[in-house]
Amino acid sequence: MPSFAFSYREYSCSNNNPLSCDRPFQTAQELKGAKFCLECGFPATLSEQVTIKGNFGTYQVTNYLGVRGYGRIYSGVQIRDKQPIEIKEYILPNRCFNEQETLERKQIFQRVGGIQLADSRIQNFRLVNTREAIADEKGERCYLISQRIEASQTLSQYLKHNGKMTASQVREILNQTLQTLEFLHSQKIRFPSNQVKQGIGHGNINLDSVLIKPISNQQFYIYLCDLAIWENLFIPPAIAQPAPAQQEKDLESLGLVAFYLLAGRTSDYASNQPLDPKDNQQWSTTDIYLKQFIEQLIGLSTPFSNAEAARQALMRLPKEGQENHLPLLSEDERAKPGFKKWSIWLLILPFILLAGGIFYYFCLRQSNPGDDHRKYLQWSKLRRNFSDVDSVPTGEFEYIGVNPGTWTFILKYPFKDVITLETLLTNPKPGAGTIFKYVPVASLNLENLEQGKKYFAITSLTNNLSDQLEKKIIAYDGLMVYVKFDDRKNNFADMLDGQITLDQLRDIYTGRSTNWQQINRNLPNSKIILYAPLEPEAISKFKEIVLKDEPEGQEFFDNKVTRLETAKTQNKFRQETNGMISFGIISKIKGQCTGYPLAIVDGNKPAIQPLFQKRDHLPIKPSDNQTSDLCKHDRYFFDVNTFKSYPLGYPIFVVYPKDTTRSPAGSSFAEILTTREGQCLLSKVNLVPLQPIPDNIYNYDCKSLF
């Protein structure tokens, strides 16, 4: 798989990877028309409604979707016919590519960016259709305009949300992908330059360049995208350049993809090293025939001559448990004296795998689960303790936040018997003569900061911040939507498949949908009973993200939705039947067991459930849990990287005056909260830290605090 760590070393990104860092996106959101990240200068993401002109049409960006390979992905439309498209934006940042390198890559991209059959036939071999390759004449960007595969996700995203695949699913992925490779390797292909070539290699098959589109519970389509011939043009020259695409390497890469799909991951939990298919203990299937086939794809035994031969062998492959009358190995290999002995080992391999799995679960799984070098590097850059922040002024400093609100609530969280977060943060550096006094207010008036009446504020509402104020992110907050949850057969959360879309939420909370069967015909014929929390910031964020600030929808929300303190709403959920829905801030939803927090679907993107189980590092599902388990909040955690894409998530900021003649109390308080100690404390009160806390040092840096 491609590795992007340190790919753009010339940019001092705090995440070490400006391509996937969220700061370029935040810059584009906060400053309309911004071209570069405010933190490191890397090109910012494209703003919504930006238009891109090509030779065959004009295209408009509608939404930023994230990063795939060496480019950023956006949904869009072709303005002429309003047809949905995908825009992949490639970057040629001037600190990484000199003027000549940039010019050469743009010219090559326009010549080879996208392919079609030489005879212009339209055939669906599940290769994402490209419309045109566009190079920005004056800028640092190129764009590939492609067919939009609705409701699809990469195999990497699939594994993240669903876990490992079954042997039968992997067989079907191999079947469809080999069909596509057979087409790609054998047909006459025409490039945009009109050059014709007899078959080409993909050269970039990995978990991020293979898309999966479900069509039912058990069926799906597989699509290939991001061919190396244009993708590799955007690898910075300072990075080792890959070899030209070779057809035989496509089979090897596909075999590794299948190996990872069976395992559900790409690295070993214990060593953090890539999984090795040569190590039998790292195989996660009892389908011996499939294992043998994948080994042959990878080249661990006599490799297949081409994609067609591999697919024919796959079609003859016995199902798991059947007797194999058509072994995959060649005649020469079967004639070897050791073959019979090897066959015996194949028979006992399932028992070895089972024993190895048991050993892994009880021994290795407990050591350093989920640890990786990147997490540790990010974490190690932070100051360790409050005492390490040396810019804290002396004196008493009042700051404000909304009551009721997230900050007011979490400050009362107890640590070590009766000590609260407020106690720890009031005097964070004992003996230094510094006191931070929190003053809760009914509504936040940031003019108090500009006029010097207060020193700083904690808030998530910064859309209309004046140019006299500065803000610094300290953690992530968010909303969770929940319905009644129990472990009986009429589990309402299970009927919703544990998720709900933003469009459905908008219809519900604007009164357009009043019965659950309007949301899903499989749901009970019951009235939707609406609740909302009391926190003004939560209401404001819900209106902004879900209701899109529609006047009519807001009027219905303000007049028809019952607002209750979250604990009282949860009590009603216990007493009444299904049909109720509510939302609340994450610190009040995590750790309770009355309402099930639903995953959120935003448009065509996959559902995002940021609450993960600690036992297997996978998102929670209603069918996997018992009510009592949801009460035990220590069994669950917010996955930081997932939360950054969660549609109902948002940052919390310390806001303070820019005036350098004023006390730096606000910036100092923000520095305190972004130390390791501060991030540990905020994660303990169910906010989401700015970056993952590595598991292997959690006990060292965090547990001793609580």
Side-chain angles (χ1 to χ4, degrees):
M1 294 182 62
S3 174
F4 314 112
F6 308 107
S7 291
Y8 305 94
R9 301 174 188 175
E10 295 81 355
Y11 292 85
S12 55
C13 173
S14 58
N15 286 331
N16 294 325
N17 182 7
L19 185 65
S20 61
C21 177
D22 59 355
R23 287 295 296 147
F25 173 72
Q26 291 174 8
T27 298
Q29 294 291 100
E30 295 164 8
L31 299 174
K32 288 188 177 180
K35 300 295 185 184
F36 303 99
C37 173
L38 292 177
E39 179 184 272
C40 71
F42 192 77
T45 58
L46 300 175
S47 301
E48 293 181 8
Q49 309 307 314
V50 162
T51 57
I52 300 167
K53 292 185 178 180
N55 293 325
F56 304 112
T58 301
Y59 312 95
Q60 187 175 61
V61 173
T62 57
N63 198 15
Y64 172 61
L65 302 179
V67 171
R68 191 181 73 221
Y70 277 97
R72 298 191 287 214
I73 304 296
Y74 305 82
S75 60
V77 295
Q78 183 164 347
I79 291 179
R80 183 181 67 247
D81 55 13
K82 300 301 180 184
Q83 287 296 310
I85 55 162
E86 176 184 279
I87 302 169
K88 185 162 188 179
E89 173 202 28
Y90 292 103
I91 311 294
L92 293 163
N94 57 25
R95 297 185 198 174
C96 302
F97 298 85
N98 63 37
E99 186 175 346
Q100 183 62 30
E101 289 166 340
T102 297
L103 178 61
E104 289 175 355
R105 282 163 170 75
K106 285 183 176 180
Q107 291 173 343
I108 297 172
F109 178 67
Q110 289 180 303
R111 292 201 303 267
V112 304
I115 60 172
Q116 61 180 359
L117 283 170
D119 58 10
S120 299
R121 286 177 295 144
I122 304 298
Q123 291 193 12
N124 179 17
F125 281 95
R126 293 181 299 279
L127 190 67
V128 174
N129 292 327
T130 49
R131 298 197 178 189
E132 65 173 314
I134 304 169
D136 189 336
E137 292 183 2
K138 298 180 180 179
E140 303 171 288
R141 309 170 195 246
C142 292
Y143 311 99
L144 189 71
I145 311 300
S146 303
Q147 167 195 8
R148 178 100 176 107
I149 307 297
E150 300 294 340
S152 66
Q153 57 186 144
T154 66
L155 288 181
S156 181
Q157 292 169 331
Y158 180 94
L159 288 186
K160 186 174 183 180
H161 294 293
N162 298 280
K164 66 182 181 180
M165 287 187 165
T166 64
S168 60
Q169 288 175 315
V170 172
R171 285 179 181 232
E172 180 56 27
I173 285 177
L174 288 170
N175 177 40
Q176 293 191 32
T177 309
L178 285 169
Q179 280 183 314
T180 304
L181 289 179
E182 186 178 342
F183 158 76
L184 191 62
H185 292 173
S186 61
Q187 296 292 317
K188 282 187 177 181
I189 302 297
R190 185 186 302 277
F191 293 103
S193 62
N194 280 327
Q195 176 189 3
V196 174
K197 188 172 182 180
Q198 182 70 50
I200 63 170
H202 185 288
N204 186 41
I205 293 179
N206 56 67
L207 292 174
D208 288 319
S209 65
V210 183
L211 307 181
I212 181 170
K213 177 183 178 179
I215 54 176
S216 69
N217 289 337
Q218 299 296 327
Q219 294 180 304
F220 49 78
Y221 287 134
I222 293 298
Y223 295 84
L224 296 187
C225 59
D226 302 341
L227 271 67
I229 196 168
W230 61 75
E231 186 83 7
N232 290 352
L233 291 171
F234 302 94
I235 300 176
I239 306 299
Q241 302 295 297
Q246 297 176 323
Q247 296 181 9
E248 57 270 23
K249 289 295 184 181
D250 284 347
L251 299 184
E252 180 181 328
S253 298
L254 177 59
L256 285 173
V257 165
F259 173 60
Y260 295 144
L261 293 175
L262 289 171
R265 63 190 193 281
T266 60
S267 59
D268 179 61
Y269 289 135
S271 66
N272 197 37
Q273 296 300 310
L275 290 179
D276 184 1
K278 296 178 183 177
D279 183 352
N280 281 327
Q281 292 188 4
Q282 295 187 357
W283 282 85
S284 301
T285 183
T286 56
D287 188 338
I288 300 304
Y289 309 123
L290 177 60
K291 176 180 181 292
Q292 187 179 352
F293 176 83
I294 294 172
E295 287 177 329
Q296 199 165 350
L297 272 181
I298 295 172
L300 299 183
S301 59
T302 303
F304 295 107
S305 57
N306 52 46
E308 181 183 7
R311 185 167 172 269
Q312 292 300 322
L314 180 68
M315 293 297 97
R316 298 195 304 269
L317 206 64
K319 294 182 179 179
E320 184 177 3
Q322 288 184 347
E323 186 177 352
N324 186 4
H325 297 292
L326 291 170
L328 291 174
L329 298 177
S330 66
E331 293 294 335
D332 290 341
E333 193 165 11
R334 274 179 279 150
K336 293 179 181 178
F339 178 72
K340 186 173 288 186
K341 193 174 183 180
W342 173 244
S343 301
I344 296 172
W345 277 103
L346 286 178
L347 293 175
I348 65 172
L349 183 58
F351 302 100
I352 296 175
L353 289 173
L354 179 60
I358 295 172
F359 174 79
Y360 160 77
Y361 184 84
F362 286 104
C363 301
L364 297 181
R365 193 174 186 266
Q366 305 304 317
S367 61
N368 301 338
D371 179 30
D372 67 36
H373 186 58
R374 182 182 60 82
K375 287 182 183 178
Y376 181 80
L377 282 177
Q378 289 180 318
W379 184 253
S380 65
K381 291 179 181 179
L382 304 180
R383 294 185 180 95
R384 188 171 190 273
N385 299 108
F386 293 166
S387 58
D388 295 331
V389 179
D390 51 19
S391 60
V392 181
T394 301
E396 183 172 313
F397 307 98
E398 289 189 344
Y399 70 101
I400 55 177
V402 174
N403 180 36
T406 294
W407 195 253
T408 303
F409 175 72
I410 66 172
L411 281 181
K412 302 303 179 185
Y413 192 99
F415 295 96
K416 296 182 179 179
D417 300 325
V418 296
I419 297 177
T420 63
L421 182 61
E422 185 172 18
T423 304
L424 294 171
L425 294 180
T426 298
N427 184 17
K429 295 184 68 172
T434 304
I435 300 295
F436 293 107
K437 184 178 179 181
Y438 178 62
V439 180
V441 293
S443 61
L444 201 62
N445 182 5
L446 294 179
E447 290 181 0
N448 288 332
L449 306 184
E450 298 177 26
Q451 297 167 3
K453 296 178 182 178
K454 302 296 178 188
Y455 286 91
F456 59 93
I458 307 253
T459 181
S460 59
L461 305 179
T462 60
N463 289 346
N464 299 314
L465 209 62
S466 81
D467 57 6
Q468 298 180 41
L469 297 176
E470 186 67 80
K471 64 180 181 181
K472 184 171 182 180
I473 181 174
I474 56 170
Y476 294 100
D477 194 8
L479 306 174
M480 301 202 85
V481 177
Y482 58 99
V483 294
K484 184 170 182 177
F485 175 65
D486 56 41
D487 53 2
R488 296 174 296 180
K489 290 183 179 179
N490 62 340
N491 181 356
F492 205 65
D494 210 11
M495 287 187 246
L496 282 167
D497 198 26
Q499 63 186 40
I500 196 166
T501 71
L502 286 181
D503 289 340
Q504 289 170 338
L505 275 177
R506 189 175 303 115
D507 287 345
I508 288 172
Y509 276 91
T510 56
R512 291 194 283 266
S513 295
T514 57
N515 190 290
W516 281 108
Q517 286 197 341
Q518 292 174 269
I519 300 301
N520 188 320
R521 292 181 181 179
N522 296 324
L523 293 173
N525 180 18
S526 61
K527 179 182 177 182
I528 300 175
I529 305 170
L530 301 172
Y531 289 94
L534 296 180
E535 290 85 358
E537 287 183 327
I539 297 296
S540 179
K541 281 295 182 182
F542 188 83
K543 288 181 176 180
E544 174 189 336
I545 300 170
V546 178
L547 305 188
K548 301 292 187 183
D549 293 327
E550 296 175 4
E552 293 182 3
Q554 290 199 52
E555 182 178 356
F556 175 89
F557 184 95
D558 291 336
N559 296 325
K560 301 295 184 180
V561 178
T562 302
R563 298 193 192 182
L564 276 181
E565 203 283 322
T566 298
K568 293 182 179 179
T569 301
Q570 292 168 356
N571 190 46
K572 281 187 169 290
F573 273 44
R574 293 187 192 97
Q575 297 170 357
E576 299 179 19
T577 57
N578 283 330
M580 295 169 289
I581 187 171
S582 187
F583 64 92
I585 56 177
I586 61 174
S587 50
K588 289 188 176 182
I589 305 306
K590 182 177 179 290
Q592 55 77 47
C593 46
T594 302
Y596 181 85
L598 299 171
I600 303 298
V601 180
D602 182 4
N604 294 322
K605 301 177 187 176
I608 295 181
Q609 171 59 265
L611 197 56
F612 276 49
Q613 304 174 44
K614 285 187 177 179
R615 68 173 183 264
D616 55 13
H617 284 234
L618 291 175
I620 64 170
K621 294 180 180 179
S623 56
D624 292 342
N625 297 284
Q626 298 294 319
T627 311
S628 58
D629 287 337
L630 282 176
C631 301
K632 299 173 182 176
H633 61 276
D634 285 335
R635 295 186 181 182
Y636 302 92
F637 70 103
F638 287 111
D639 181 78
V640 177
N641 293 326
T642 301
F643 199 90
K644 290 179 180 180
S645 303
Y646 179 58
L648 299 183
Y650 46 83
I652 296 182
F653 299 96
V654 174
V655 179
Y656 52 89
K658 288 182 179 178
D659 188 351
T660 56
T661 64
R662 302 267 299 273
S663 167
S667 60
S668 297
F669 194 74
E671 285 188 54
I672 285 171
L673 292 174
T674 51
T675 60
R676 296 186 212 174
E677 183 176 0
Q679 293 291 285
C680 287
L681 290 169
L682 294 180
S683 69
K684 183 64 176 177
V685 297
N686 294 327
L687 293 183
V688 180
L690 297 178
Q691 60 193 42
I693 302 175
D695 292 346
N696 68 321
I697 59 174
Y698 181 85
N699 290 347
Y700 179 71
D701 274 335
C702 292
K703 196 169 184 179
S704 61
L705 298 171
F706 312 140

